[in-house]
Amino acid sequence: DAGITQSPRHKVTETGTPVTLRCHQTENHRYMYWYRQDPGHGLRLIHYSYGVKDTDKGEVSDGYSVSRSKTEDFLLTLESATSSQTSVYFCAISAGSEKLFFGSGTQLSVL
Amino acid sequence: GNSVTQMEGPVTLSEEAFLTINCTYTATGYPSLFWYVQYPGEGLQLLLKATKADDKGSNKGFEATYRKETTSFHLEKGSVQVSDSAVYFCALSGGRDNYGQNFVFGPGTRLSVLP
């Protein structure tokens, strides 16, 4: 199994508070992604990174920011959490376009 | 843009029944096609893939054939087991340089297999 660790695994927070989710990899893969999973929508890409300090937006990036200061870490920040951001968040990594490896997910509840 | 359509289910089968989950795609160029599986409480993991037309991907008794003429990649298994209960996602990778946009997922199909 690919070495991907997401933290925290579960988080409950209040509307308007900042939240940061962390993804850590030990595979030295170039590409890292953040997805959210919601019923009826499958997985939707939030942001991705193609190298240190190189990031770009996905289809549902509003309200989210990311940072990648090291190859192994990719942070997802909700600057001011809203109830619509209650979801399961998955980090994924890839060495190219052939295959994604996923973390175990973070269940985020915004009350 | 690229897109993937699949039957959303849920699909409920008895053990040893035949499984088909339909998947069709829209894409420019020549995408690679994937089936990912998600077991309860876990992240997605690759089940099988096919990278060009007429290729057949297979793994753990599951098969899918890349049909360019019908833009389809249907998942099949001849005899399902209770342990196959999971959510199955069809996906494509567009092969463009913009890797962040490369992976497009369908909405997922929940499969429940009853003993």
Side-chain angles (χ1 to χ4, degrees):
Chain A
D1 291 342
I4 309 172
T5 304
Q6 289 186 234
S7 58
R9 291 296 311 277
H10 302 274
K11 175 78 174 178
V12 179
T13 191
E14 295 184 347
T15 299
T17 60
V19 177
T20 295
L21 309 182
R22 179 179 183 239
C23 178
H24 178 78
Q25 63 150 327
T26 58
E27 305 297 319
N28 201 36
H29 283 349
R30 178 181 177 186
Y31 304 97
M32 299 186 75
Y33 308 79
W34 277 107
Y35 289 89
R36 60 178 289 173
Q37 183 179 25
D38 304 288
H41 292 279
L43 272 78
R44 292 181 291 175
L45 182 65
I46 304 171
H47 281 279
Y48 66 100
S49 170
Y50 45 95
V52 173
K53 297 187 180 179
D54 291 325
T55 65
D56 207 346
K57 298 178 179 180
E59 64 175 301
V60 290
S61 59
D62 287 348
Y64 302 94
S65 63
V66 290
S67 66
R68 191 170 178 198
S69 58
K70 298 183 291 185
T71 298
E72 58 266 33
D73 289 325
F74 193 32
L75 304 181
L76 176 70
T77 298
L78 290 65
E79 301 290 348
S80 178
T82 67
S83 58
S84 65
Q85 294 175 312
T86 292
S87 185
V88 180
Y89 292 85
F90 285 99
C91 176
I93 64 175
S94 173
S97 64
E98 282 298 297
K99 184 175 177 179
L100 286 175
F101 297 93
F102 284 84
S104 299
T106 295
Q107 173 69 60
L108 176 66
S109 297
V110 183
L111 306 179
Chain B
N2 295 348
S3 66
V4 174
T5 302
Q6 64 178 108
M7 51 192 293
E8 292 197 33
V11 174
T12 302
L13 296 173
S14 297
E15 205 165 23
E16 299 184 3
F18 184 85
L19 169 71
T20 299
I21 301 177
N22 291 336
C23 171
T24 57
Y25 67 91
T26 301
T28 56
Y30 301 93
S32 294
L33 301 175
F34 308 85
W35 278 100
Y36 281 83
V37 59
Q38 183 181 31
Y39 298 104
E42 299 182 9
L44 282 71
Q45 55 186 277
L46 181 66
L47 179 60
L48 54 85
K49 68 176 184 180
T51 58
K52 61 182 187 295
D54 300 324
D55 269 2
K56 177 184 285 187
S58 61
N59 185 25
K60 299 181 180 179
F62 291 89
E63 294 182 340
T65 301
Y66 189 142
R67 301 288 188 197
K68 189 167 177 61
E69 64 275 13
T70 55
T71 62
S72 64
F73 192 56
H74 305 321
L75 182 68
E76 296 182 336
K77 187 175 185 182
S79 177
V80 295
Q81 305 300 313
V82 172
S83 57
D84 294 327
S85 297
V87 181
Y88 293 81
F89 293 89
C90 186
L92 68 80
S93 172
R96 292 174 295 177
D97 291 336
N98 188 352
Y99 287 101
Q101 303 295 332
N102 248 3
F103 294 91
V104 177
F105 288 87
T109 300
R110 182 175 299 277
L111 170 67
S112 295
V113 180
L114 305 178

